[in-house]
Amino acid sequence: MDQERLYELESMCIQECPPGCTAGCPVHVDVRGIVTAVRKGDYPAGFAILRKTVPFPGIISRICTEPCKNSCKRNELDESIEVRQLERSCSDKCGSAEQKILLPPLKSQKIAVIGAGLSGLTVAADMAGKGFPVAIFEAGNGIGGSILEFSEEILPRGLMESDFSIFDKLPVEIKLNAAAGKDELSLELISNEYDAVYIGTGYESRTAADSWFSGTPEKRLVIDSGTLLTNIPKVFAGGSLRTGESRTAVDSISDGKIAANSINRFLQNASLTASRGKEGSYNSILYTDISGVKTSPAVKAYETGRGYSEDEARREAERCILCQCLECVKKCEYLANYKAYPKKYVREVYNNLSIVMGIHHANRMINSCALCGLCKELCPNSLDMGEVCIDARRLMVDRGKMPPSTHDFPLRDMAFSNSESFLLSKHQPGMNSSSIVFFPGCQLGATYPSYVKKIYEFLCEKTEGGIGLMLGCCGAPAFWGGQQKLFEDTISGFSERLKSLGNPSVVTACPSCSYMLKLGIPDLKIESLWSYLDRTGLPEISRNGSGRKLAVHDSCVSRYDKDLHESVRSIIRKSGFEVEELPGNREKTTCCGYGGLMIYADREVARRVIGRRINESESDYISYCSMCRDNFASQGKRSYHILDLIFSETDDSSATMKMPGLSQRQESRARLKTSLLRELWGEEVKDELPEVKLTIPERVQSIMEDRMILASDISKVVAYAENTGNRFKNTLTGNYIAYFQPQRVTYWVEYSPDGDSFLIHNTYSHRLEITD
Amino acid sequence: MKDNTAQSDMNIICVKCNAVLTIGKVTLAYMGNSFPVDLYKCPQCGLVYIPEDLALGKMNMAEKALEDK
Ligand code: SF4
Ligand code: SF4
Ligand code: SF4
C-alpha cells in the first residue's frame, strides 16, 4: 500500500463527512454536537459549539433562515429538525454569560472594514480575534446594518448588544457616521493606510461601490467568488454587496468568514486559493441508513415566538438521527471491536506497515479480519477492509514481520493435510480414467470422515465415466495467512495431481475449497457437490423433515455464488424442511468466525462473531461448510451440516455434535485415507503405530485444545525423553517432566508411566528457544 | 526474566544426574534476539527447566513483544 492508495482508500470511507445539516449550513455549524449537548441538558456545551462557528450566536439563533433544514435527513421521513430552535435554547440560556477571550499578541498589520453589517462585523471579530487591529467605518450611527430592520419582538436589541459586546474586548475601533468613499475617507487613502480592506456596505450601496472602482480597467467592482478578493489589490468585498437583495444573515456571516480566511492568507503572503477546504453551503455525501427510524413530527414551541422549554428542546433533540454511516461497523464485530471505522483503520494499517523500528500495534488488527467481504458489500463506496488486511498480511510475510505464532497452527495443520498422511489422488476403484474428481477438502474429512466415504460411494454408483477422489487441503490457510507463495505452491500441487488424473472437472464439498481453487485456477471446471446433487439427484433414502424450519447460513466465501445458494435451499426443501432466511444472508451473509483465520488471531472477537450469528434465530441452523457448523455448535447452537439432511441423520445427536478436537481432526483425516484405501481400493496399508502409547485424561485434552497442542506433539516429547533419558522428576508427585522442540515450538509434558502406556498430567509450550 | 515462583526448596531433580536443580545462566532466543536469564537447571548436565507459569506468563509476554517489534 503506497501513500496514494492510502488516500484513495481513506477517501472511500465517508463516515467523517459532515451530516446534511452541517454541510448545508453556510458556516457549517456542528448540529450533531449541539443536539447531543441539548439531549444531555448541557446547554453551555451546545452554546460553545454554536459560538465556535458563529460570532453572533444570539442574533443567528433568532433570525437565521435555516438553509440547513433543507438538507436534513429527516425530510425523507417526516420533517427536518428545528435546528435554530435548539440553537436558541442554548443561546437564551447561556448567551449572557461572560465570554473569556484569550488575545494573541497584537500584530502590526491593520485592517479596515467598511460597513458594519454582519459580514463586515464577522471580518472584524475574526481578524481582531487573531490579533490584528481593525477599524470599522460605518456611515450610519449604529452597527448591525440591515438586521436593524428586524422588529424588537423578533430580534431583541438587548440580544444584539450582548452579541456585539465582544467588540469591547477586541482590538476593534468602530467609527460611526464615517461614510467611506470620498475625501479623506476615499478608498485610495484608506487602502494606503491599512494593510487590507474589506468592503461590506450592503447591496444598496452597489452603485456607490462601483464608482470607487471607476479608475480600474473593468470600471466597476468585480469580486472573486472563491476568495472575495476584488479587482483592486488588497481590497476584499462580500456580504449582500455581493449576494444582492436575497441576502440572509447566515450568508453574510459566511462571506465574512471566507473574507477573513483570505485576508489572513494575504497578510501572510500565503496562497489565497490552495487547500481552502469547503466554504459555504454544499451537499454532503454522508450515507445514513434511516430504515429503522420511526416517524415523529417536529416539536413546536408551546407558544409561537417563544423558545422551547427544556423538555421541548430535549424532545426535539431526540428526533435527530445524529447522521453517520457505520454501515460496516454495525454489522461486523471485528470492525466494532476497535471502536472506530475503516477510515481510521486504513491509516492504522498503513502506519503499521511503515514502522521500521518500534512496536507494531496493529498486527492483531490486521490479522483478525475474517476477509469475508461483508463490509465491501455494505459500504456505499464498496470499501473492502478485507482487501486492506490481506494486502497488509502479504507485505508482513514478505518482510518477515508476520508474528510467527499467529498462523503457525493452521499452517502446520495444512501441511499435515498436504502430507502423505492425507494426500490422495485416485481414479474410481476399478477404473483408469475419471470424468469428474471429488475433492471433499480437509475440514469435512476431519469432522465428518464417514460422510465423505458414504457420499463418495454414492457418487461412484451414479457417475458415468468414473469419479476419482482427491484428498488434501486447498491452501486456504496459506491464502488467509498472507503466505502467497505457499498458496501458489499448494495450488500448483493440486493442479499437478489433477493433471495426473487427466484433468477431470472438480466437485467440491467445501465452499472455501471452491473459492480458493477458482481463485488459484481461474479456468478450472468446478461445481459444488450441492449443485451437482441437486441437479443429478440425491441418494434415494426416505427423508422427512416434516416441514420443520431450518435457518440457512451461507458461508462467507460463497457470498456471490448464487447457484450454490439456490441448490442448497433446494436440497433443504427436498429433504422435507422449510427454509428460513437469516437477516443477513446470500451476498450479505456474515462470517462464522473461521474466515481469514480470525479465530487464531483473536479468539475473543471470533467468539463474538459466532455469538452474534447464532442469536439471529431460534431455529436450528443448517450450513454447508463444516467449519461454520462446528463453530456454531461450539457455542451450543443446534446446527446441521447439509450432509446430515442428505443422509437423513437429523436427530439431536447430529444437531448438538461438538467439533472434534484438534488432534482428533488430524487422526480422522489420516484414518479416512487408510480406510478408503483398504475398503474401496482393497490396498494393504500398514497402520502407523504411535511412537508411544498415551493415556490422556479429559482434563488434559481440554488443556491441549486451548493451547493448540496435539497428541502427536506430546508423543514426540515422551518418546524423546524416554529414549535419551533427558527428563526431570518432581520429587513430590513422582511425575516426570520433559521437553522437546520438534520445530519452532518447544513442548513440555508432565507424565508418568502407566502400564504399557504413559499417563499425561499436563502440557504447555513456548516459542522462546533454549539455546544453551 | 527470573522465575520468582520457584520455591527455594526445589523439588525438581534431573533424573540422569540425580541432582537437585540450581539457578544458573541460560540464554533464550527468539526472532533473532537473544538474552541471558536466570533459570533453574541441572548443575551437572545443564538441562534447563521451565515451569508452566513462566512459560505461559512472562515468556509468553516476551514472545508477543518480540513478534510485534
Ligand atoms: S446557523 Fe443557520 S443554517 Fe447553520 S445550522 Fe444554525 S440554523 Fe442552520
Ligand atoms: S471481517 Fe469481513 S466485514 Fe469485517 S472487516 Fe473483515 S472483511 Fe470486512
Ligand atoms: S460502510 Fe464503513 S467503510 Fe463504508 S463509508 Fe460507511 S463507515 Fe466507511
Side-chain angles (χ1 to χ4, degrees), chain A residues 12-15 325-329 335 341-343 375 378-383:
Chain A
M12 285 167 80
C13 175
I14 43 84
Q15 163 67 10
C325 177
L326 295 188
E327 282 303 290
C328 56
V329 180
L335 289 173
Y341 38 85
K343 192 185 186 85
C375 49
L378 297 172
C379 175
N381 288 320
S382 306
L383 175 55

Side-chain angles (χ1 to χ4, degrees), chain A residues 21 25-27 29 31 50 54 60 64 66-68 83-84 87 250:
Chain A
C21 51
C25 166
V27 292
V29 167
V31 178
L50 180 60
V54 179
I60 271 298
C64 185
E66 299 174 279
C68 55
V83 180
R84 187 166 55 76
E87 292 173 348
V250 71

Side-chain angles (χ1 to χ4, degrees), chain A residues 103-104 106 111 123-134 167 170-172:
Chain A
L103 268 186
L106 218 54
I111 293 141
V123 173
D126 191 314
M127 295 309 291
K130 292 191 170 82
F132 295 98
V134 179
F167 292 116
L170 294 172
V172 174

Side-chain angles (χ1 to χ4, degrees), chain A residues 735-770:
Chain A
N735 293 340
Y736 291 123
I737 303 169
Y739 76 86
F740 181 60
Q741 186 191 351
Q743 280 175 7
R744 284 173 293 266
V745 181
T746 304
Y747 297 99
W748 287 80
V749 177
E750 185 179 338
Y751 68 97
S752 57
D754 179 29
D756 65 342
S757 89
F758 294 93
L759 179 62
I760 308 303
H761 302 282
N762 192 16
T763 179
Y764 51 93
S765 69
H766 55 78
R767 298 178 152 265
L768 293 182
E769 276 179 59
I770 304 165

